[in-house]
């Protein structure tokens, strides 16, 4: 996609700072009771990295009959959170009524959920309800991996006058079996960053993972890929949560995850930085490696012709055994990892065998055919 896609985003310094300082949103999947909401928020407030308190008020459940959220009544609890903890609040909106109710109760920021982003009608309804309102809106990726649909939703909001727009990367539904509930497909988030560089993008490892175990790893990956923050579902008693129980973590677990993360430097790398120097050295070394591998292939081909002429087997056990041991010894003496060297040489050897096979079989086939004819 060309870089020409543009959103007219706010240049307000407070909003722009979200590109510099990681935005951490945390809170339960669903608001379940005033006690649960306030208890979670009190614990989260102790972590200075957490700036936004999330809770689902209306829940888009896959099947009817599951807990579908408390509804507008829970918005008053969010107000209590704000007053008691000073945390800003954010809720999901999927229609005009949600928008009116949320704004009426002083909710600070809104997000559009993955199941709404797929529907231009829903997004347009939310956008129309927001005309003339100055509130930040975060847009989750659509459930299907379609960057255009994600961009289109943000464009609709932007056209309605919303300039503080952010994106939330929560992974994509898939029929394939993977370790994730929603596969991340990082390339889509990376491409979004490339086409709209000044758009804050927050990663939601909770919905990507669908379980507690991978959250830290996915969160680190997001930070390494220059994402601007995280949204992590947090509940005082995750096992008994009324929605997304498997993926929610306690505020204490969140503290541990955040403490273990490496928050890297934002911004572009200047041309002359040390990193650029290292990168050009790596480029030169890789170029040398590729040339050497090509030369090695040429020699393998010569060996193939030789063995063909002498009617030798391709695989020469003693030679391979000697070569393998020798290369491992040399490489480990230089500090290379033994397993890496083994894997690498097994690949190199297999490639050499393929080259020789092609040569020897090509030379052998016509002779075999002639012989068969004579016999017949
Ligand atoms: C949520 O954040 O609880 C939620 C419903 O997420 P998503 O829209 O990503 O499925
Ligand atoms: Mn959830």
């Amino acid at each position: 996609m060309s870089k020409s896609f543009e959103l007219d985003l706010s240049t307000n310094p407070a909003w722009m700072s979200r590109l510099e300082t990681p935005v951490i949103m945390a809170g339960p999947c669903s608001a379940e009771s005033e006690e649960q909401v306030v208890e979670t928020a009190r614990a989260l407030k102790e972590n200075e990295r957490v700036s936004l308190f999330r809770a689902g008020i209306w829940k888009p459940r896959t099947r009817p009959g599951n807990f579908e959220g408390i509804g507008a009544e829970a918005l008053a609890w969010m107000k209590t959170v704000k007053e008691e903890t000073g945390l800003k609040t954010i809720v999901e909106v999927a229609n005009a009524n949600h928008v009116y109710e949320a704004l009426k109760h002083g909710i600070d920021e809104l997000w559009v959920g993955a199941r709404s982003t797929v529907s231009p009608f829903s997004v347009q309804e939310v956008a129309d309800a927001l005309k003339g309102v100055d509130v930040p809106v975060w847009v989750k990726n659509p459930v299907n991996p379609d960057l255009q649909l994600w961009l289109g939703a943000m464009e609709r909001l932007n056209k309605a006058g919303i300039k503080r727009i952010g994106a939330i990367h929560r992974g994509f539904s898939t029929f394939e079996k993977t370790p994730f509930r929603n596969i991340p497909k990082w390339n889509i988030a990376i491409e979004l960053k490339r086409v709209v560089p000044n758009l804050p993008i927050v990663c939601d490892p909770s919905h990507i993972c669908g379980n507690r175990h991978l959250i830290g790893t996915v969160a680190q990956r997001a930070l390494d890929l220059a994402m601007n923050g995280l949204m992590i579902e947090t509940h005082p008693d995750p096992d008994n949560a009324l929605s997304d129980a498997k993926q929610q973590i306690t505020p204490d677990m969140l503290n541990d995850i955040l403490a273990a993360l490496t928050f890297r430097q934002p911004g572009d790398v200047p041309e002359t930085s040390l990193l650029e120097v290292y990168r050009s050295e790596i480029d030169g070394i890789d170029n040398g490696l590729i040339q050497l591998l090509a030369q090695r292939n040429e020699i393998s081909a010569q060996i193939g012709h030789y063995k063909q002429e002498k009617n030798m087997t391709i695989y020469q056990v003693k030679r391979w055994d000697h070569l393998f041991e020798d290369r491992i010894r040399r490489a480990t003496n230089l500090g290379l990892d033994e397993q890496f060297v083994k894997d690498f040489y097994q690949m190199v050897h297999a490639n050499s065998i393929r080259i020789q096979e092609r040569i020897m079989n090509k030379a052998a086939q016509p002779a075999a055919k002639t012989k068969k004819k004579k016999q017949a």
Side-chain angles (χ1 to χ4, degrees):
M1 189 195 294
S2 77
K3 268 193 175 175
S4 61
F5 188 92
E6 267 182 34
L7 290 175
D8 178 17
L9 297 176
S10 168
T11 50
N12 166 328
W15 183 252
M16 296 290 282
S17 75
R18 294 189 161 191
L19 291 166
E20 306 295 327
T21 314
V23 189
I24 310 292
M25 312 180 184
C29 177
S30 302
E32 299 170 5
S33 68
E34 181 160 28
E35 198 186 19
Q36 168 244 13
V37 166
V38 173
E39 185 186 339
T40 315
R42 281 198 192 120
L44 291 174
K45 180 193 169 261
E46 299 304 314
N47 192 315
E48 57 184 19
R49 285 208 180 268
V50 178
S51 56
L52 269 165
F53 182 79
R54 67 147 279 158
I57 306 297
W58 302 276
K59 297 304 298 178
R61 303 312 297 275
T62 304
R63 298 189 56 200
N66 290 330
F67 175 65
E68 295 198 313
I70 296 285
E73 191 193 325
L75 290 167
W77 309 339
M78 299 298 271
K79 214 170 172 189
T80 312
V81 163
K82 205 164 129 171
E83 285 162 7
E84 274 211 23
T85 65
L87 287 169
K88 289 199 163 164
T89 51
I90 178 165
V91 302
E92 173 175 351
V93 289
N95 61 35
N97 183 50
H98 296 166
V99 172
Y100 297 135
E101 289 289 347
L103 296 177
K104 197 169 82 190
H105 287 84
I107 298 295
D108 299 288
E109 307 196 8
L110 307 174
W111 90 79
V112 175
R115 289 168 184 80
S116 303
T117 309
V118 286
S119 162
F121 287 141
S122 300
V123 177
Q124 194 57 53
E125 182 178 328
V126 167
D128 290 343
L130 284 166
K131 276 202 178 117
V133 179
D134 184 20
V135 62
V137 183
W138 297 79
V139 181
K140 286 205 174 192
N141 65 255
V143 285
N144 57 323
D146 185 341
L147 179 57
Q148 292 299 321
L149 206 49
W150 200 359
L151 285 166
M154 291 188 263
E155 212 177 1
R156 283 178 198 279
L157 291 160
N158 202 210
K159 282 196 189 320
I162 299 293
K163 291 195 166 196
R164 287 182 289 167
I165 297 179
I168 303 175
H169 171 225
R170 50 77 82 195
F172 303 90
S173 275
T174 170
F175 195 60
E176 298 158 48
K177 237 181 164 331
T178 79
F180 303 105
R181 174 178 175 195
N182 292 293
I183 45 170
K185 291 195 180 283
W186 295 103
N187 58 321
I188 295 183
I190 288 170
E191 178 64 0
L192 176 59
K193 206 153 205 40
R194 193 184 71 84
V195 293
V196 199
N198 52 348
L199 174 78
I201 309 181
V202 155
C203 175
D204 170 350
S206 305
H207 289 87
I208 288 178
C209 297
N211 66 60
R212 292 171 202 149
H213 321 293
L214 292 170
I215 291 178
T217 312
V218 169
Q220 185 65 61
R221 189 86 209 273
L223 297 178
D224 292 349
L225 293 175
M227 300 297 139
N228 308 100
L230 303 165
M231 176 189 256
I232 299 183
E233 287 187 340
T234 323
H235 191 287
D237 181 11
D239 285 336
N240 292 308
L242 298 181
S243 58
D244 288 350
K246 281 199 206 135
Q247 72 197 31
Q248 299 208 59
I249 56 173
T250 63
D252 278 349
M253 289 158 95
L254 180 72
N255 289 341
D256 291 346
I257 287 177
L258 294 180
L261 290 175
T262 305
F263 289 85
R264 305 193 192 282
Q265 291 300 309
D268 286 334
V269 180
E271 274 302 312
T272 51
S273 77
L274 197 53
L275 184 63
E276 282 303 312
V277 174
Y278 290 145
R279 282 177 175 167
S280 70
E281 279 185 38
I282 289 278
D283 292 348
I285 290 171
D286 282 353
N287 189 29
L289 268 177
I290 289 166
Q291 296 210 13
L292 285 172
L293 286 170
Q295 282 175 26
R296 199 183 193 284
N297 280 0
E298 277 176 28
I299 306 285
S300 292
Q302 297 305 327
I303 291 179
H305 288 297
Y306 183 89
K307 287 180 181 166
Q308 160 70 21
E309 216 176 286
K310 306 283 180 207
N311 203 22
M312 289 167 72
T313 57
I314 295 177
Y315 182 31
Q316 297 282 321
V317 184
K318 266 199 198 149
R319 162 68 180 159
W320 166 239
D321 193 38
H322 169 75
L323 185 153
F324 198 46
E325 296 292 334
D326 174 73
R327 305 305 188 260
I328 291 168
R329 188 177 42 77
R330 284 170 195 272
T332 50
N333 280 346
L334 289 175
L336 289 173
D337 178 71
E338 185 173 333
Q339 192 57 51
F340 167 73
V341 181
K342 283 183 176 167
D343 292 347
F344 177 73
Y345 266 97
Q346 269 158 355
M347 269 164 48
V348 166
H349 186 234
N351 180 54
S352 179
I353 287 178
R354 260 194 309 275
I355 291 171
Q356 295 176 49
E357 256 170 5
R358 238 177 275 141
I359 287 167
M360 294 172 76
N361 292 337
K362 207 199 283 168
Q365 271 162 14
K369 271 185 193 163
T370 334
K371 221 177 170 187
K372 261 195 173 172
K373 263 188 187 167
K374 269 186 190 165
Q375 273 172 355

